[in-house]
Amino acid sequence: MGAYADFHRRSITDRDAFWTAEARRIDWHRPYDQVLDYSRPPFARWFVGGETNLCHNAVDRHLATRGDQLALVYISSETGTEQNFTYRELHAEVNCFAAVMAAQGVSRGDRVLLYMPMIPEAVFAMLACARLGAVHSVVFGGFAAASCATRIDDARPKLLVTADAGMRGGRAIHYKPLVDEAVRLAKHPPQQVLVVNRGIDRDFKPVPGRDLDYATLARQHAGAQVPVTWLESSEPSYILYTSGTTGRPKGVQRDTGGYAVALASSMEHIYAGKPGETMFTTSDVGWVVGHSYIVYGPLIHGMTTILYEGLPIRPDAGIWWKIVADHRVSVMFSSPTAARVLKKQDPAYLRKYDLSSLRHLFLAGEPLDEPTHRWIHEAIGKPVIDHYWQTETGWPILSLAPGIEPAKVKYGSPGFPVYGYDLKLLRESDMSEAQPGEKGVLTIAPPLPPGCMSTVWGDDERFVDTYFRTFPKQLLYSTFDWGVRDAEGYTFILGRTDDVINVAGHRIGTREIEEAVQSHPNIAEVAVVGVVDAVKGQMPLAFAVVKDAARIDTPAARAREEQEVMAAVDHQLGGIARPRRVYFVTLLPKTRSGKLLRRSLQALAEGRDPGDLTTIEDPTALEQIRGALSA
Ligand code: PRX
């Protein structure tokens, strides 16, 4: 048995000893009494009775040994800013932010909603929440006001932290007006909004009595020392909303101790980074990748982390590789979409810079097609490791683990089950284990390892019903992904089993998009499916039935209506969810019992055979779809 296989086996068969050793990687204020409490399946509580704090482990712990080492390097190719913070400086900034929040009454267990662009204050605010024992909920800046409002109502934050604006591709995105609208739409709005004013929005208007200016308050609290609030290991560190089959996003709740241990361990075994080195993760703080591998993971591991605001191809396609060269980056983490965007550029940009410091490039978030995997590997001449995980798990499920054993990369495969995960690939028909080469549903036998979600925020039942009820006879966590294993044990991901699509690495429920389309007053019925896109992986397409056909009786009128529907989606969800096209039909393909033939619709839209249509109510629906697509 290879070193990795043995390591994985021990993590499952000798769980307590395995995680006891890993738990030594972090500081405990009070030692835990029990490694795992699994007395209430499927709820797992890791390191029971132990007290720790994420901010202490990410910042304070390093002051003695690496106070003058860089902790955070901020680079914005949008504003031309570069700012460095040593661990000592980061400590001071976080204390100041924590003091400002504490002065507004934020304390242990309170929620703080962050709606922030990629600026250092986003990192300070997250760590400040952790310091105070407050629960942050970062909402991705690309989400529209209505989406932000739903999250406000679910999390009920005491405070909302935002900025005047973010920047993307040279364009300012005004955040504060979006927050104003979200607060207006919410039933449980926070009393206070703390604003980091970057001076980008010249029309910036604070709401008197509600909006607080961070710079002013920071001056008042400069030099403040805020003691760390020690949390019991299972107390929540954060909530992060993610999409599923319903229109209502789920608040993934993360614990404290298990998460810290899982991240610390993954930094060594999977990412093979060393304390003192630099990690560059190109994601956004609003996504799970940003939480785990821009902020907490690298800092807990004593690395320097890079926070980058901007695109991969501005000012040119060499920008990321210049950052790697300038900052001697040893671990990089990006997405397949970014690789496909770079693939369209001149490959000379990738050879222009000295990449000798780089050990591995990790990619995750969506399927990595073989040609792109091969291309980026050849272009940078370094191992490119595809790895697979979810917002729910917080850290990798499938990966190679070069920190334990060098492993052969297979194009198109994210590798092997990560230690801690008891993965099973099950046949859909009878739930028996799929054989090599046979497609199955990727499931995890609980308890889920440390770091994975503890529950759905405020809704234990939804946690069990959503993830553990796919298989009637056994308690198994469904990833909702199809997979297949080859004879050597490499797993390949074949796409989702549910109606979730993945647009440029952004996970969106088709149901959410359908609800947004339906917010347009002339839409009677709509079906949204994901179709293959050469760059973004997938794109939504909408097929809509209108109430008043007179509004679309000319080609110009149809085009106008299509634009309006797209605008409604932008308004409800944000531009990332906008359908590539909206096709108007008078009938959607359904079975005689009224179920939408979603797979057939998707197949037609991708130019494939629609499959078994014996149950269709009215075959002319398909003719209409074909006609619309070819028009
Ligand atoms: O369908 C899988 C896909 O993205 C989903 C999780 O997305 P999210 O919650 O945003 O978390 C991303 C964390 C990296 C999965 O259920 N997915 C993620 N990574 C891969 C992937 N599909 C194929 N290959 C991957 N490497």
Side-chain angles (χ1 to χ4, degrees), residues 56-67 87 298-302:
H56 167 84
N57 276 290
V59 185
D60 301 48
R61 184 163 71 112
H62 303 304
L63 291 179
T65 47
R66 42 187 90 251
Y87 270 96
L299 293 177
I300 287 173
H301 200 49

Side-chain angles (χ1 to χ4, degrees), residues 384-418:
V384 175
I385 300 184
D386 176 17
H387 64 326
Y388 158 90
W389 46 293
Q390 305 181 310
T391 304
E392 286 84 348
T393 64
W395 66 295
I397 305 172
L398 287 170
S399 184
L400 300 179
I404 296 170
E405 182 180 60
K408 190 178 86 190
V409 170
K410 245 187 214 184
Y411 293 133
S413 165
F416 307 111
V418 166

